[in-house]
Amino acid sequence: MDVPGASDIIDTPTMPVAVAASGDTNVVEDLYGILRVLSDGTVVRSPDPPEFCPVTFPCDHPSVQWKEAVYDKGKNLRVRMYKPSGGGEQAGRKLPVLVHFHGGGFCLGSCTWGNFHSFCLRLAAEAGAVVLSAGYRLAPEHRLPAALDDAAGFLEWLREQSVSTEAEDGWLTEAADFGRVFVTGDSAGGTLAHHLAVSAGSATPKHGDDVDSITIKGYILLMPFFGGVDRTRSEAVEFPLAEEPFLNLAVLDRFWRLSLPEGASRDHPIANPFGADSPGLGSVKFPPVLVVSSGTDLLHDRTVDYAERLAGMGKPVKVVDFPNDPHGFFTQDPWSETTGELIRLVSVFVVDSCVAVAAPKTA
């Protein structure tokens, strides 16, 4: 397919690089050379773009406007905002809002990286939605629950925007329907979406003047990053997928080792929603949830098990599987036909979740 704006080259942002302290500087943890932890505790982030983030991804789309804002000045956390050109206020109607959190094992990634940016451009264009791609603090400099705190903080920022008369000069509020908000997440971002759903579904309902100014209609978990001490079949060493060089079992373990609180195991509640210390989900109220899995993903079995357990509790869960595709295929190739199909399914889910079904009358 023709890629809109493919002639425009997007610059991958320079990652902050720590200067190694004097003394022992042996590398003890390495993630693709993008992030290294030295034996003296220094964290070094490479200024070079990752190999899986080609500079040829388009930085613009002919039917999408986008801009960047800082939603937390104290932490310098940014959000990239996308809206279809001619949509929203110009079409006389407002658009659903997709709050998106990127992946990267809680250690890598940015809403400004070319792969995430390009996917969000296409998502806004083809889903006909306002897309808000929010950044969050990364580990190991900021271990969990820092990312979860930031994700919750972004929703608070969104609430402020929804009632502010000075919010971003109306750029966002004129197009966004805050009564139709969806929280989406890719990989680690999907894990954040789950925990936000649990937090919202466990909260005491608001009344009167405390009514929430945004309404979350659903959650979309794209190959969520869950873990556990006990291996699943798709994680097992003898399973062929475990030998993939890019996303193998050692890398998954490294992500958790660097992101979880010091000394925590992969059964920590943030990693394993069904671990011994994790809160029960039976009483949690979930709106519709779309869970997307991929058949050649090491995390496939955890994703499917997660969806099956929620369904067994009577939660409104829909599962879609892409049997022949790898983890995060939509950010590896944002303009593929398969990514287009994923966006179509997301669009259908958004529409279906917003349709109010009248209760049948009883005699």
Side-chain angles (χ1 to χ4, degrees):
M1 65 177 293
D2 293 332
V3 179
S7 60
D8 298 317
I9 304 302
I10 184 168
D11 292 327
T12 302
T14 300
M15 300 296 289
V17 180
V19 178
S22 58
D24 189 359
T25 57
N26 293 327
V27 175
V28 294
E29 299 281 9
D30 190 339
L31 284 168
Y32 314 117
I34 304 172
L35 182 153
R36 291 185 175 94
V37 180
L38 309 183
S39 57
D40 63 2
T42 301
V43 176
V44 180
R45 290 186 180 271
S46 171
D48 299 322
E51 293 182 1
F52 49 82
C53 185
V55 295
T56 52
F57 281 151
C59 64
D60 289 298
H61 190 290
S63 64
V64 176
Q65 301 174 36
W66 68 274
K67 65 186 297 186
E68 189 173 301
V70 175
Y71 75 86
D72 188 321
K73 293 182 180 179
K75 299 172 184 172
N76 193 31
L77 294 175
R78 298 178 176 274
V79 55
R80 283 203 171 179
M81 305 182 290
Y82 308 78
K83 67 178 180 180
S85 304
E89 69 279 9
Q90 295 170 350
R93 63 185 178 87
K94 294 194 174 186
L95 304 174
V97 177
L98 303 181
V99 174
H100 184 71
F101 297 105
H102 65 77
F106 297 111
C107 298
L108 305 177
S110 166
C111 64
T112 63
W113 277 15
N115 54 345
F116 299 125
H117 176 80
S118 196
F119 172 68
C120 288
L121 281 172
R122 188 176 185 185
L123 181 61
E126 297 182 15
V130 173
V131 176
L132 305 177
S133 179
Y136 50 87
R137 288 171 295 168
L138 299 176
E141 300 95 323
H142 305 282
R143 289 179 174 268
L144 291 164
L148 184 54
D149 292 341
D150 295 341
F154 179 76
L155 292 183
E156 287 303 315
W157 177 87
L158 187 61
R159 290 182 174 93
E160 293 172 1
Q161 297 298 299
S162 70
V163 297
S164 173
T165 58
E166 301 178 356
E168 291 301 320
D169 299 322
W171 193 94
L172 173 61
T173 57
E174 289 172 356
D177 183 348
F178 296 106
R180 292 186 293 160
V181 175
F182 292 79
V183 178
T184 82
D186 152 36
S187 193
T191 310
L192 294 178
H194 161 75
H195 288 290
L196 290 174
V198 172
S199 178
S202 305
T204 303
K206 296 182 178 181
H207 301 283
D209 295 337
D210 293 330
V211 172
D212 203 336
S213 60
I214 65 173
T215 301
I216 298 179
K217 290 288 189 178
Y219 293 83
I220 302 167
L221 280 61
L222 306 175
M223 300 154 207
F225 179 41
F226 293 128
V229 171
D230 294 332
R231 303 295 191 190
T232 64
R233 176 180 175 274
S234 61
E235 293 173 342
V237 175
E238 67 271 14
F239 195 69
L241 296 180
E243 300 305 318
E244 291 292 330
F246 179 70
L247 188 63
N248 54 42
L249 204 58
V251 170
L252 294 180
D253 288 351
R254 186 169 294 117
F255 278 137
W256 287 123
R257 189 162 60 246
L258 292 175
S259 65
L260 286 170
E262 292 280 2
S265 77
R266 295 188 304 272
D267 279 336
H268 187 280
I270 294 180
N272 186 354
F274 307 110
D277 297 324
S278 300
L281 303 180
S283 61
V284 177
K285 296 181 180 179
F286 282 84
V289 179
L290 174 64
V291 178
V292 177
S293 64
S294 55
T296 64
D297 182 4
L298 282 174
L299 298 171
H300 175 269
D301 289 1
R302 289 199 186 278
T303 303
V304 172
D305 177 69
Y306 169 82
E308 289 179 346
R309 291 200 191 207
L310 288 191
M313 299 175 195
K315 313 303 181 186
V317 180
K318 179 178 181 179
V319 185
V320 174
D321 185 64
F322 287 81
N324 302 313
D325 295 283
H327 184 83
F329 65 84
F330 46 91
T331 58
Q332 296 177 35
D333 191 355
W335 299 97
S336 69
E337 291 185 8
T338 309
T339 299
E341 175 62 13
L342 170 65
I343 292 176
R344 187 191 70 80
L345 292 169
V346 169
S347 302
V348 170
F349 174 77
V350 168
V351 171
D352 289 349
S353 300
C354 292
V355 173
V357 179
K361 295 182 178 180
T362 56

